[in-house]
């Protein structure tokens, strides 16, 4: 903690942890989330056929974490919809991204430098949500370590955990996979973050909450910005995960499929070759452009 | 309001809005709901194979609106099952419709003049449910306009919104469509009704609740009776919807599929030609008869 | 009750009904439940690919009854996860069954004599859960007979009722069937048990709770042990069910499919011929062995 005090990080972390998220950060969160919805194959057609279904999907993308977390804690899943200003802001973003004349808004926010800033801001909100989720669960269940981790995880992952049902709303059904079977980077990071924040909340991790929040936020934002800039979907945890999985579960490199997907970036992180995921992202974008 | 006072409509609306629904109106609601369940392909086979699954489906058809609304508000989804008399009445209807010797009961209630009366009574209950749902949500979330609309919508639409999962209970899975992607008339009318009742509840609509309830009920009942009599599934809103969709979302006539389905009745409302849906309703009924 | 007093059964029932379930009985419950998870085709692969998904499935197998019952009563579905010791015990069992070197633990608990004892202990927990579920529902809804039966049923059946969604977590989707359409013996017995305990709780059944619990437990344990020893999946209720179904629903022998499945053991209970289910259980086990 010496270094932190020299850098005056503690005080900065305090200020940072008290900073309001609405409207700037939340706006970025909504924009990036609904951008990802538009990347989904078929979502543009759905927005033409049934605006109500498209709006509901957009709300799930923006507020999925609140919906699932509220459901998990036995409260009303639509409890967050009482915040009319948040809903209206997210609805405006949805409208602009899907129906703006000449597709202007989409082109602006999908422009790489703008998108990188928005992605960074989104990760700030995600880190904050995980911390808030763990804190909330700690308040409800004082010794429920598992509940804290689950709520933090759910708050960080958001719609990803219910993507099967979100897709069903759009008439798509892909039962052969889900976010738990094939975790993406944000979902994994949310899980690890939820564990860290739970350890902090129960005083097993000797660090102040604001400092942990600051460090975790910086880590998430940098990693996600680098990954977005490089169109990469590989997990930066893959090497450590492989070791831990081998040690704990005896399977080399975290399972056959995970291995195939996540090994590549770990072995050749500077390789200019496009992986399967990167190619598919390119294809996805082209499809979105065509569909307009 | 001058005209209303002349017609003494206000007082009549007051009396109407205080009229009890149990047992006559509720009975009609149960009969029509379970009748629609019997029209579903495969439901007769399910009633032979597994009476428990068939009974559960019937309960979802009768009480789906309460189950989903309670879930949405974070209460027990089976809360309504404490009303033993309602459950017993619905169970009796289910038993008579599916297992009555010689299929007598089914033949009686499916006889067109009887069915038209029952359908009209069902719409009375539906309008009442929407108003009650909005009022309940307003009580829980005083400024949650979105929550009021959602709860009213859910109370009006009932099982339709969870039809994918109701079908799953019977071993049928149709992920390519759902009630939000392709809204039927009652679902759409429930959405518009929920918006109207929310506007009334928040004093944006300068009309008394009982008057709005009366007008909405009359509108729903007449429309549904006419549609049932003419075996029509087209939406009477299609023309207005086309205009609004074109204005708001830039897509002509509310999307490619909606267009195809709903344009026909708007353009040629008196056409004697049977649409695809009407034919399929005929086929459905024939199948039900065969299955017995 | 004369006979009972002679046998001093009442007092023994009292002591039995107050006996704690943790840790011995609960441990047996977890072992048998996760054993059944390992029998499921593909679950070993899932445990290699995604330990998180495998752990979640194991938790659903162990605590599914609490999760569904809590959801039904409007509480937090992860409420039970506050009992850290139970979760840790179940997690340890999951780890040992799936990742123990040389598959030693699995071989021990799947060894028939050991398994029979564990199965008997599991049924003790199941009976207790049904009684507790009915009691809990009675506390919340004093006259909600249907709610009591539903909660008792759900507490007894556990993960079986949500097996479609548990399979989805593992990337498997079988919409054409579910536990309500094709009830297995434990699910059926849970339903009948829930009805019996509800009758007792509402004083329609003139017997003390502890005596009913003891008799029901003995019945369940013996039946399940015999069925496990004989690799049988036929229902011992099939004959009575056939009569009742014929009387009530007019369909001979409980429907076409049920008939085929459940008639065989009723007619030829001592037949040495292996039924379709028994064969498939053998195949399943062989597959599990191969996969390791």
């Amino acid at each position: 903690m010496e270094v932190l005090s020299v850098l005056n990080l503690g005080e900065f972390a305090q200020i940072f942890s008290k900073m309001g998220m609405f409207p700037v950060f939340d706006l970025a969160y909504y924009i990036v989330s609904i951008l990802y919805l538009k990347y989904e194959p078929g979502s543009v057609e759905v927005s033409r056929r049934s605006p109500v279904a498209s709006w509901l999907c957009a709300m799930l993308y923006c507020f999925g974490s609140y919906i699932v977390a509220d459901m998990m804690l036995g409260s009303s899943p639509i409890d967050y919809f009482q915040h009319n200003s948040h809903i209206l802001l997210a609805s405006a973003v949805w409208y602009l991204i899907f129906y703006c004349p000449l597709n202007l808004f989409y082109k602006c926010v999908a422009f790489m430098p703008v998108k990188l800033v928005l992605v960074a801001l989104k990760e700030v909100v995600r880190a904050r949500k995980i911390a808030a989720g763990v804190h909330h669960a700690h308040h409800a269940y004082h010794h429920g370590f598992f509940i804290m981790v689950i709520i933090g995880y759910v708050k960080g992952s958001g719609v990803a955990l219910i993507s099967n049902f979100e897709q069903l709303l759009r008439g798509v059904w892909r039962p052969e996979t889900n976010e738990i079977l094939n975790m993406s980077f944000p979902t994994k990071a949310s899980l690890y973050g939820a564990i860290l924040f739970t350890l902090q909340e129960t005083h097993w991790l000797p660090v102040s909450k604001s400092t942990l929040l600051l460090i975790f936020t910086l880590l998430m934002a940098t990693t996600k910005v680098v990954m977005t800039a490089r169109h990469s979907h590989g997990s930066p945890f893959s090497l450590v995960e492989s070791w831990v999985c081998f040690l704990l579960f005896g399977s080399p490199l975290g399972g056959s499929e995970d291995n195939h997907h996540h090994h590549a970036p770990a072995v050749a992180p500077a390789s200019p070759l496009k992986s399967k995921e990167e190619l598919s992202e390119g294809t996805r974008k082209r499809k979105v452009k065509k569909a307009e």
Side-chain angles (χ1 to χ4, degrees), chain A:
Chain A
M1 303 300 277
E2 278 287 296
V3 191
L4 294 182
S5 61
V6 168
L7 287 165
N8 212 6
L9 206 63
E11 208 175 302
F12 178 67
Q14 272 288 329
I15 297 164
F16 173 74
S17 77
K18 270 166 192 152
M19 201 167 56
M21 288 291 111
F22 189 79
V24 181
F25 290 84
D26 279 330
L27 181 64
Y29 191 94
Y30 302 153
I31 292 174
V32 177
S33 299
I34 298 176
L35 212 56
Y36 282 126
L37 170 60
K38 195 164 186 177
Y39 287 164
E40 287 285 310
S43 69
V44 174
E45 287 76 35
V46 167
S47 75
R48 299 259 161 86
R49 267 176 66 197
S50 169
V52 176
S54 178
W55 181 80
L56 268 179
C57 283
M59 292 305 108
L60 282 180
Y61 263 77
C62 292
F63 307 109
S65 57
Y66 295 101
I67 293 169
V68 185
D70 277 331
M71 212 182 278
M72 286 281 165
L73 287 169
S75 349
S76 159
I78 53 171
D79 188 80
Y80 199 81
F81 283 71
Q82 68 183 295
H83 302 294
N84 296 315
S85 48
H86 291 73
I87 309 291
L88 285 173
L89 186 62
S91 302
V93 170
W94 160 75
Y95 186 82
L96 286 171
I97 284 185
F98 277 99
Y99 306 107
C100 184
L102 300 172
N103 215 13
L104 258 177
F105 189 79
Y106 172 77
K107 279 172 190 160
C108 284
V109 294
F111 178 55
M112 195 44 91
V114 179
K115 197 179 161 189
L116 290 183
V117 173
L118 294 173
V119 162
L121 295 179
K122 184 183 173 179
E123 293 311 308
V124 174
V125 179
R126 192 198 299 276
R128 199 65 71 89
K129 273 182 176 176
I130 298 173
V134 170
H135 185 74
H136 186 181
H138 179 250
H139 190 80
Y141 296 94
H142 225 67
H143 295 286
F145 307 118
F146 289 101
I147 298 181
M148 289 182 226
V149 172
I150 291 170
I151 298 296
Y153 178 40
V154 156
K155 282 294 274 290
S157 313
V159 78
L161 290 183
I162 50 164
S163 58
N164 285 59
F165 298 98
E166 182 272 325
Q167 286 163 5
L168 184 60
L169 199 60
R170 290 185 277 118
V172 176
W173 185 244
R174 282 189 292 234
E176 66 283 356
T177 189
N178 60 57
E179 191 66 22
I180 310 248
L181 269 181
N182 292 307
M183 286 203 212
S184 62
F185 165 70
T187 316
K188 265 186 189 161
S190 297
L191 180 57
Y192 302 146
I195 293 172
L196 283 179
F197 280 107
T198 302
L199 291 176
Q200 194 281 326
E201 195 82 48
T202 53
H203 304 293
W204 286 78
L205 206 72
V207 67
S208 84
K209 200 179 186 167
S210 49
T211 313
L212 180 62
L213 185 64
L214 182 64
I215 295 171
F216 186 74
T217 306
L218 286 176
L219 221 92
M220 285 290 288
T222 354
T223 319
K224 198 74 213 287
V225 165
V226 170
M227 284 173 69
T228 308
R230 292 181 53 237
H231 291 297
S232 155
H233 281 251
S235 165
F237 308 128
S238 53
L239 209 66
V240 179
E241 268 169 9
S242 302
W243 287 348
V244 172
C245 275
F246 184 71
L247 221 78
L248 280 177
F249 307 118
S251 57
L253 303 158
S256 53
E257 253 220 29
D258 268 26
N259 175 5
H260 182 74
H261 281 291
H262 297 160
H263 201 51
V267 160
S271 152
L273 266 164
K274 281 202 171 189
S275 78
K276 206 172 112 197
E277 286 93 352
E278 288 160 31
L279 282 168
S280 78
E281 163 131 302
T283 326
R284 267 192 340 201
K285 277 197 184 164
R286 246 170 286 135
K287 270 184 194 159
V288 169
K289 272 179 194 157
K290 252 190 205 166
E292 279 142 14

